[in-house]
Amino acid sequence: MRDQNEYLYFLRRAFDGMLGALEDLGDDLGNARPPLPGANSVYAIAYHCVGVADYWIGHIVAGREVDRDRAAEFTAAGSAQELRRSVDALFERMATDLEPVTPTAPPRNTPPAAFEGPDRPLSVPGVQLHVLEELAQHHGQIQITRDLLTREARS
């Protein structure tokens, strides 16, 4: 067994930053899309990140069945409180998923070619880095989206 607490700590920091931005905006503005082509709401981006982490850690690494509708993640809407509960449940699942995992074990599943991700076979540490990469990118996207929405609201 390998201690995954440090890894989960950094994932939690990313999610706490996303959820903090969503809570700062409030549910109405958190579900609004900025006036840019193809832009997503802060809620939808954070909701997508739950799907990313659950799928890549739960399904790819641990082999757990994950019912994911990736396209629907980008149109999701809801409250910050609901999403925080979903994130807490996600962390419980990920802790269980990662507990028996060793860095030398191969992932239990291979992502479909249609899913965005690294274009090479991945090790368990590689999948974990991919999840951290995605969360870090989307955390920054959420911060920029929050700034755009609050600027628009003040105008």
Side-chain angles (χ1 to χ4, degrees), residues 126-153:
V127 172
Q128 288 181 275
L129 286 171
H130 174 60
V131 172
L132 184 58
E133 167 193 45
E134 288 292 312
L135 296 188
Q137 289 175 4
H138 287 308
H139 183 196
Q141 180 185 10
I142 281 174
Q143 291 172 322
I144 292 168
T145 302
R146 177 203 55 211
D147 293 349
L148 286 169
L149 290 169
T150 54
R151 192 178 100 193
E152 285 291 317

PDB file of all heavy atoms in Angstrom, residues 126-153:
ATOM      1  N   GLY A 126       0.913   8.209 -13.798  1.00  0.00           N
ATOM      2  CA  GLY A 126       0.588   9.052 -14.945  1.00  0.00           C
ATOM      3  C   GLY A 126      -0.871   9.471 -14.949  1.00  0.00           C
ATOM      4  O   GLY A 126      -1.191  10.634 -15.246  1.00  0.00           O
ATOM      5  N   VAL A 127      -1.764   8.555 -14.618  1.00  0.00           N
ATOM      6  CA  VAL A 127      -3.186   8.900 -14.529  1.00  0.00           C
ATOM      7  C   VAL A 127      -3.392   9.925 -13.423  1.00  0.00           C
ATOM      8  O   VAL A 127      -4.120  10.910 -13.597  1.00  0.00           O
ATOM      9  CB  VAL A 127      -4.051   7.646 -14.278  1.00  0.00           C
ATOM     10  CG1 VAL A 127      -5.501   8.037 -14.002  1.00  0.00           C
ATOM     11  CG2 VAL A 127      -3.985   6.690 -15.465  1.00  0.00           C
ATOM     12  N   GLN A 128      -2.729   9.716 -12.290  1.00  0.00           N
ATOM     13  CA  GLN A 128      -2.881  10.661 -11.189  1.00  0.00           C
ATOM     14  C   GLN A 128      -2.377  12.053 -11.576  1.00  0.00           C
ATOM     15  O   GLN A 128      -3.006  13.054 -11.243  1.00  0.00           O
ATOM     16  CB  GLN A 128      -2.148  10.145  -9.949  1.00  0.00           C
ATOM     17  CG  GLN A 128      -2.859   8.955  -9.323  1.00  0.00           C
ATOM     18  CD  GLN A 128      -2.133   8.483  -8.087  1.00  0.00           C
ATOM     19  OE1 GLN A 128      -1.206   7.700  -8.161  1.00  0.00           O
ATOM     20  NE2 GLN A 128      -2.589   8.967  -6.950  1.00  0.00           N
ATOM     21  N   LEU A 129      -1.278  12.111 -12.289  1.00  0.00           N
ATOM     22  CA  LEU A 129      -0.779  13.406 -12.753  1.00  0.00           C
ATOM     23  C   LEU A 129      -1.761  14.044 -13.723  1.00  0.00           C
ATOM     24  O   LEU A 129      -1.971  15.263 -13.698  1.00  0.00           O
ATOM     25  CB  LEU A 129       0.594  13.255 -13.402  1.00  0.00           C
ATOM     26  CG  LEU A 129       1.741  13.004 -12.433  1.00  0.00           C
ATOM     27  CD1 LEU A 129       3.014  12.658 -13.202  1.00  0.00           C
ATOM     28  CD2 LEU A 129       1.968  14.208 -11.536  1.00  0.00           C
ATOM     29  N   HIS A 130      -2.362  13.240 -14.586  1.00  0.00           N
ATOM     30  CA  HIS A 130      -3.351  13.774 -15.534  1.00  0.00           C
ATOM     31  C   HIS A 130      -4.525  14.405 -14.789  1.00  0.00           C
ATOM     32  O   HIS A 130      -4.986  15.499 -15.146  1.00  0.00           O
ATOM     33  CB  HIS A 130      -3.832  12.670 -16.476  1.00  0.00           C
ATOM     34  CG  HIS A 130      -4.934  13.103 -17.378  1.00  0.00           C
ATOM     35  ND1 HIS A 130      -4.794  14.138 -18.286  1.00  0.00           N
ATOM     36  CD2 HIS A 130      -6.206  12.668 -17.499  1.00  0.00           C
ATOM     37  CE1 HIS A 130      -5.932  14.311 -18.941  1.00  0.00           C
ATOM     38  NE2 HIS A 130      -6.809  13.428 -18.479  1.00  0.00           N
ATOM     39  N   VAL A 131      -5.010  13.744 -13.745  1.00  0.00           N
ATOM     40  CA  VAL A 131      -6.127  14.304 -12.971  1.00  0.00           C
ATOM     41  C   VAL A 131      -5.709  15.620 -12.328  1.00  0.00           C
ATOM     42  O   VAL A 131      -6.444  16.617 -12.401  1.00  0.00           O
ATOM     43  CB  VAL A 131      -6.636  13.293 -11.917  1.00  0.00           C
ATOM     44  CG1 VAL A 131      -7.658  13.941 -10.987  1.00  0.00           C
ATOM     45  CG2 VAL A 131      -7.241  12.069 -12.605  1.00  0.00           C
ATOM     46  N   LEU A 132      -4.538  15.655 -11.720  1.00  0.00           N
ATOM     47  CA  LEU A 132      -4.055  16.894 -11.114  1.00  0.00           C
ATOM     48  C   LEU A 132      -3.902  17.998 -12.161  1.00  0.00           C
ATOM     49  O   LEU A 132      -4.270  19.152 -11.928  1.00  0.00           O
ATOM     50  CB  LEU A 132      -2.731  16.653 -10.389  1.00  0.00           C
ATOM     51  CG  LEU A 132      -2.161  17.840  -9.633  1.00  0.00           C
ATOM     52  CD1 LEU A 132      -3.126  18.358  -8.574  1.00  0.00           C
ATOM     53  CD2 LEU A 132      -0.826  17.458  -9.001  1.00  0.00           C
ATOM     54  N   GLU A 133      -3.384  17.628 -13.339  1.00  0.00           N
ATOM     55  CA  GLU A 133      -3.238  18.587 -14.443  1.00  0.00           C
ATOM     56  C   GLU A 133      -4.596  19.181 -14.820  1.00  0.00           C
ATOM     57  O   GLU A 133      -4.742  20.392 -14.968  1.00  0.00           O
ATOM     58  CB  GLU A 133      -2.624  17.863 -15.640  1.00  0.00           C
ATOM     59  CG  GLU A 133      -2.685  18.614 -16.945  1.00  0.00           C
ATOM     60  CD  GLU A 133      -2.349  17.731 -18.142  1.00  0.00           C
ATOM     61  OE1 GLU A 133      -2.855  16.586 -18.237  1.00  0.00           O
ATOM     62  OE2 GLU A 133      -1.577  18.203 -18.981  1.00  0.00           O
ATOM     63  N   GLU A 134      -5.594  18.328 -14.981  1.00  0.00           N
ATOM     64  CA  GLU A 134      -6.930  18.793 -15.365  1.00  0.00           C
ATOM     65  C   GLU A 134      -7.534  19.705 -14.297  1.00  0.00           C
ATOM     66  O   GLU A 134      -8.108  20.748 -14.613  1.00  0.00           O
ATOM     67  CB  GLU A 134      -7.858  17.594 -15.613  1.00  0.00           C
ATOM     68  CG  GLU A 134      -7.558  16.840 -16.886  1.00  0.00           C
ATOM     69  CD  GLU A 134      -7.870  17.664 -18.123  1.00  0.00           C
ATOM     70  OE1 GLU A 134      -8.957  18.256 -18.203  1.00  0.00           O
ATOM     71  OE2 GLU A 134      -7.008  17.709 -19.019  1.00  0.00           O
ATOM     72  N   LEU A 135      -7.405  19.293 -13.044  1.00  0.00           N
ATOM     73  CA  LEU A 135      -7.990  20.108 -11.974  1.00  0.00           C
ATOM     74  C   LEU A 135      -7.298  21.456 -11.869  1.00  0.00           C
ATOM     75  O   LEU A 135      -7.954  22.483 -11.646  1.00  0.00           O
ATOM     76  CB  LEU A 135      -7.934  19.367 -10.638  1.00  0.00           C
ATOM     77  CG  LEU A 135      -8.742  18.077 -10.534  1.00  0.00           C
ATOM     78  CD1 LEU A 135      -8.743  17.565  -9.102  1.00  0.00           C
ATOM     79  CD2 LEU A 135     -10.152  18.222 -11.055  1.00  0.00           C
ATOM     80  N   ALA A 136      -5.982  21.475 -12.025  1.00  0.00           N
ATOM     81  CA  ALA A 136      -5.254  22.747 -11.963  1.00  0.00           C
ATOM     82  C   ALA A 136      -5.673  23.667 -13.105  1.00  0.00           C
ATOM     83  O   ALA A 136      -5.904  24.871 -12.899  1.00  0.00           O
ATOM     84  CB  ALA A 136      -3.748  22.494 -11.994  1.00  0.00           C
ATOM     85  N   GLN A 137      -5.797  23.116 -14.311  1.00  0.00           N
ATOM     86  CA  GLN A 137      -6.216  23.938 -15.451  1.00  0.00           C
ATOM     87  C   GLN A 137      -7.618  24.497 -15.233  1.00  0.00           C
ATOM     88  O   GLN A 137      -7.867  25.692 -15.456  1.00  0.00           O
ATOM     89  CB  GLN A 137      -6.191  23.109 -16.736  1.00  0.00           C
ATOM     90  CG  GLN A 137      -4.813  22.771 -17.219  1.00  0.00           C
ATOM     91  CD  GLN A 137      -4.843  21.843 -18.431  1.00  0.00           C
ATOM     92  OE1 GLN A 137      -5.897  21.505 -18.956  1.00  0.00           O
ATOM     93  NE2 GLN A 137      -3.673  21.427 -18.868  1.00  0.00           N
ATOM     94  N   HIS A 138      -8.525  23.641 -14.787  1.00  0.00           N
ATOM     95  CA  HIS A 138      -9.906  24.087 -14.618  1.00  0.00           C
ATOM     96  C   HIS A 138     -10.056  25.015 -13.418  1.00  0.00           C
ATOM     97  O   HIS A 138     -10.928  25.895 -13.428  1.00  0.00           O
ATOM     98  CB  HIS A 138     -10.847  22.892 -14.523  1.00  0.00           C
ATOM     99  CG  HIS A 138     -11.039  22.197 -15.838  1.00  0.00           C
ATOM    100  ND1 HIS A 138     -11.402  22.861 -16.982  1.00  0.00           N
ATOM    101  CD2 HIS A 138     -10.906  20.898 -16.196  1.00  0.00           C
ATOM    102  CE1 HIS A 138     -11.497  22.006 -17.991  1.00  0.00           C
ATOM    103  NE2 HIS A 138     -11.192  20.804 -17.530  1.00  0.00           N
ATOM    104  N   HIS A 139      -9.228  24.855 -12.408  1.00  0.00           N
ATOM    105  CA  HIS A 139      -9.252  25.798 -11.285  1.00  0.00           C
ATOM    106  C   HIS A 139      -8.926  27.202 -11.799  1.00  0.00           C
ATOM    107  O   HIS A 139      -9.617  28.174 -11.464  1.00  0.00           O
ATOM    108  CB  HIS A 139      -8.268  25.343 -10.209  1.00  0.00           C
ATOM    109  CG  HIS A 139      -8.260  26.197  -8.989  1.00  0.00           C
ATOM    110  ND1 HIS A 139      -7.254  26.141  -8.074  1.00  0.00           N
ATOM    111  CD2 HIS A 139      -9.111  27.145  -8.523  1.00  0.00           C
ATOM    112  CE1 HIS A 139      -7.481  27.001  -7.099  1.00  0.00           C
ATOM    113  NE2 HIS A 139      -8.606  27.627  -7.352  1.00  0.00           N
ATOM    114  N   GLY A 140      -7.902  27.309 -12.622  1.00  0.00           N
ATOM    115  CA  GLY A 140      -7.561  28.602 -13.219  1.00  0.00           C
ATOM    116  C   GLY A 140      -8.671  29.127 -14.109  1.00  0.00           C
ATOM    117  O   GLY A 140      -8.981  30.333 -14.094  1.00  0.00           O
ATOM    118  N   GLN A 141      -9.283  28.250 -14.886  1.00  0.00           N
ATOM    119  CA  GLN A 141     -10.399  28.649 -15.747  1.00  0.00           C
ATOM    120  C   GLN A 141     -11.548  29.196 -14.898  1.00  0.00           C
ATOM    121  O   GLN A 141     -12.175  30.205 -15.258  1.00  0.00           O
ATOM    122  CB  GLN A 141     -10.864  27.441 -16.570  1.00  0.00           C
ATOM    123  CG  GLN A 141     -12.023  27.727 -17.491  1.00  0.00           C
ATOM    124  CD  GLN A 141     -12.528  26.469 -18.189  1.00  0.00           C
ATOM    125  OE1 GLN A 141     -12.136  25.349 -17.861  1.00  0.00           O
ATOM    126  NE2 GLN A 141     -13.411  26.657 -19.146  1.00  0.00           N
ATOM    127  N   ILE A 142     -11.807  28.558 -13.790  1.00  0.00           N
ATOM    128  CA  ILE A 142     -12.876  29.021 -12.892  1.00  0.00           C
ATOM    129  C   ILE A 142     -12.546  30.393 -12.323  1.00  0.00           C
ATOM    130  O   ILE A 142     -13.422  31.265 -12.233  1.00  0.00           O
ATOM    131  CB  ILE A 142     -13.135  27.978 -11.783  1.00  0.00           C
ATOM    132  CG1 ILE A 142     -13.985  26.840 -12.361  1.00  0.00           C
ATOM    133  CG2 ILE A 142     -13.798  28.597 -10.557  1.00  0.00           C
ATOM    134  CD1 ILE A 142     -14.213  25.676 -11.429  1.00  0.00           C
ATOM    135  N   GLN A 143     -11.307  30.622 -11.960  1.00  0.00           N
ATOM    136  CA  GLN A 143     -10.926  31.931 -11.427  1.00  0.00           C
ATOM    137  C   GLN A 143     -11.128  33.028 -12.471  1.00  0.00           C
ATOM    138  O   GLN A 143     -11.645  34.103 -12.158  1.00  0.00           O
ATOM    139  CB  GLN A 143      -9.474  31.899 -10.941  1.00  0.00           C
ATOM    140  CG  GLN A 143      -9.290  31.045  -9.699  1.00  0.00           C
ATOM    141  CD  GLN A 143      -7.836  30.855  -9.337  1.00  0.00           C
ATOM    142  OE1 GLN A 143      -6.972  30.702 -10.192  1.00  0.00           O
ATOM    143  NE2 GLN A 143      -7.558  30.852  -8.048  1.00  0.00           N
ATOM    144  N   ILE A 144     -10.758  32.763 -13.692  1.00  0.00           N
ATOM    145  CA  ILE A 144     -10.952  33.743 -14.760  1.00  0.00           C
ATOM    146  C   ILE A 144     -12.438  33.945 -15.029  1.00  0.00           C
ATOM    147  O   ILE A 144     -12.905  35.085 -15.190  1.00  0.00           O
ATOM    148  CB  ILE A 144     -10.212  33.307 -16.045  1.00  0.00           C
ATOM    149  CG1 ILE A 144      -8.700  33.383 -15.824  1.00  0.00           C
ATOM    150  CG2 ILE A 144     -10.642  34.147 -17.244  1.00  0.00           C
ATOM    151  CD1 ILE A 144      -7.879  32.713 -16.901  1.00  0.00           C
ATOM    152  N   THR A 145     -13.196  32.853 -15.060  1.00  0.00           N
ATOM    153  CA  THR A 145     -14.641  32.945 -15.298  1.00  0.00           C
ATOM    154  C   THR A 145     -15.309  33.737 -14.183  1.00  0.00           C
ATOM    155  O   THR A 145     -16.159  34.598 -14.446  1.00  0.00           O
ATOM    156  CB  THR A 145     -15.249  31.535 -15.422  1.00  0.00           C
ATOM    157  OG1 THR A 145     -14.592  30.833 -16.482  1.00  0.00           O
ATOM    158  CG2 THR A 145     -16.740  31.597 -15.693  1.00  0.00           C
ATOM    159  N   ARG A 146     -14.926  33.469 -12.938  1.00  0.00           N
ATOM    160  CA  ARG A 146     -15.456  34.241 -11.802  1.00  0.00           C
ATOM    161  C   ARG A 146     -15.185  35.725 -11.997  1.00  0.00           C
ATOM    162  O   ARG A 146     -16.068  36.566 -11.814  1.00  0.00           O
ATOM    163  CB  ARG A 146     -14.825  33.755 -10.503  1.00  0.00           C
ATOM    164  CG  ARG A 146     -15.278  34.561  -9.279  1.00  0.00           C
ATOM    165  CD  ARG A 146     -14.300  34.493  -8.124  1.00  0.00           C
ATOM    166  NE  ARG A 146     -12.974  34.909  -8.572  1.00  0.00           N
ATOM    167  CZ  ARG A 146     -11.846  34.430  -8.049  1.00  0.00           C
ATOM    168  NH1 ARG A 146     -11.861  33.534  -7.089  1.00  0.00           N
ATOM    169  NH2 ARG A 146     -10.670  34.858  -8.495  1.00  0.00           N
ATOM    170  N   ASP A 147     -13.950  36.063 -12.382  1.00  0.00           N
ATOM    171  CA  ASP A 147     -13.590  37.469 -12.571  1.00  0.00           C
ATOM    172  C   ASP A 147     -14.415  38.113 -13.682  1.00  0.00           C
ATOM    173  O   ASP A 147     -14.860  39.254 -13.552  1.00  0.00           O
ATOM    174  CB  ASP A 147     -12.097  37.604 -12.860  1.00  0.00           C
ATOM    175  CG  ASP A 147     -11.222  37.212 -11.668  1.00  0.00           C
ATOM    176  OD1 ASP A 147     -11.762  37.027 -10.549  1.00  0.00           O
ATOM    177  OD2 ASP A 147     -10.004  37.056 -11.861  1.00  0.00           O
ATOM    178  N   LEU A 148     -14.632  37.395 -14.765  1.00  0.00           N
ATOM    179  CA  LEU A 148     -15.462  37.924 -15.857  1.00  0.00           C
ATOM    180  C   LEU A 148     -16.902  38.153 -15.398  1.00  0.00           C
ATOM    181  O   LEU A 148     -17.502  39.187 -15.708  1.00  0.00           O
ATOM    182  CB  LEU A 148     -15.456  36.961 -17.049  1.00  0.00           C
ATOM    183  CG  LEU A 148     -14.199  36.909 -17.892  1.00  0.00           C
ATOM    184  CD1 LEU A 148     -14.254  35.726 -18.846  1.00  0.00           C
ATOM    185  CD2 LEU A 148     -14.033  38.206 -18.665  1.00  0.00           C
ATOM    186  N   LEU A 149     -17.438  37.170 -14.674  1.00  0.00           N
ATOM    187  CA  LEU A 149     -18.825  37.284 -14.224  1.00  0.00           C
ATOM    188  C   LEU A 149     -19.010  38.403 -13.213  1.00  0.00           C
ATOM    189  O   LEU A 149     -20.013  39.129 -13.265  1.00  0.00           O
ATOM    190  CB  LEU A 149     -19.293  35.949 -13.634  1.00  0.00           C
ATOM    191  CG  LEU A 149     -19.488  34.817 -14.642  1.00  0.00           C
ATOM    192  CD1 LEU A 149     -19.673  33.490 -13.920  1.00  0.00           C
ATOM    193  CD2 LEU A 149     -20.669  35.101 -15.568  1.00  0.00           C
ATOM    194  N   THR A 150     -18.066  38.568 -12.310  1.00  0.00           N
ATOM    195  CA  THR A 150     -18.222  39.641 -11.309  1.00  0.00           C
ATOM    196  C   THR A 150     -18.026  41.008 -11.970  1.00  0.00           C
ATOM    197  O   THR A 150     -18.692  41.972 -11.587  1.00  0.00           O
ATOM    198  CB  THR A 150     -17.255  39.461 -10.119  1.00  0.00           C
ATOM    199  OG1 THR A 150     -15.923  39.333 -10.581  1.00  0.00           O
ATOM    200  CG2 THR A 150     -17.632  38.247  -9.299  1.00  0.00           C
ATOM    201  N   ARG A 151     -17.165  41.090 -12.964  1.00  0.00           N
ATOM    202  CA  ARG A 151     -17.013  42.352 -13.692  1.00  0.00           C
ATOM    203  C   ARG A 151     -18.287  42.701 -14.451  1.00  0.00           C
ATOM    204  O   ARG A 151     -18.729  43.849 -14.448  1.00  0.00           O
ATOM    205  CB  ARG A 151     -15.824  42.262 -14.648  1.00  0.00           C
ATOM    206  CG  ARG A 151     -15.446  43.620 -15.221  1.00  0.00           C
ATOM    207  CD  ARG A 151     -14.262  43.528 -16.100  1.00  0.00           C
ATOM    208  NE  ARG A 151     -14.800  43.519 -17.463  1.00  0.00           N
ATOM    209  CZ  ARG A 151     -14.133  43.207 -18.531  1.00  0.00           C
ATOM    210  NH1 ARG A 151     -12.881  42.852 -18.442  1.00  0.00           N
ATOM    211  NH2 ARG A 151     -14.679  43.265 -19.718  1.00  0.00           N
ATOM    212  N   GLU A 152     -18.878  41.707 -15.089  1.00  0.00           N
ATOM    213  CA  GLU A 152     -20.135  41.918 -15.825  1.00  0.00           C
ATOM    214  C   GLU A 152     -21.248  42.336 -14.874  1.00  0.00           C
ATOM    215  O   GLU A 152     -22.058  43.192 -15.203  1.00  0.00           O
ATOM    216  CB  GLU A 152     -20.542  40.637 -16.563  1.00  0.00           C
ATOM    217  CG  GLU A 152     -19.730  40.335 -17.792  1.00  0.00           C
ATOM    218  CD  GLU A 152     -20.006  41.325 -18.920  1.00  0.00           C
ATOM    219  OE1 GLU A 152     -21.186  41.656 -19.159  1.00  0.00           O
ATOM    220  OE2 GLU A 152     -19.035  41.754 -19.561  1.00  0.00           O
ATOM    221  N   ALA A 153     -21.289  41.710 -13.696  1.00  0.00           N
ATOM    222  CA  ALA A 153     -22.354  42.018 -12.725  1.00  0.00           C
ATOM    223  C   ALA A 153     -22.236  43.433 -12.191  1.00  0.00           C
ATOM    224  O   ALA A 153     -23.241  44.060 -11.866  1.00  0.00           O
ATOM    225  CB  ALA A 153     -22.316  41.004 -11.575  1.00  0.00           C
TER     226      ALA A 153
END
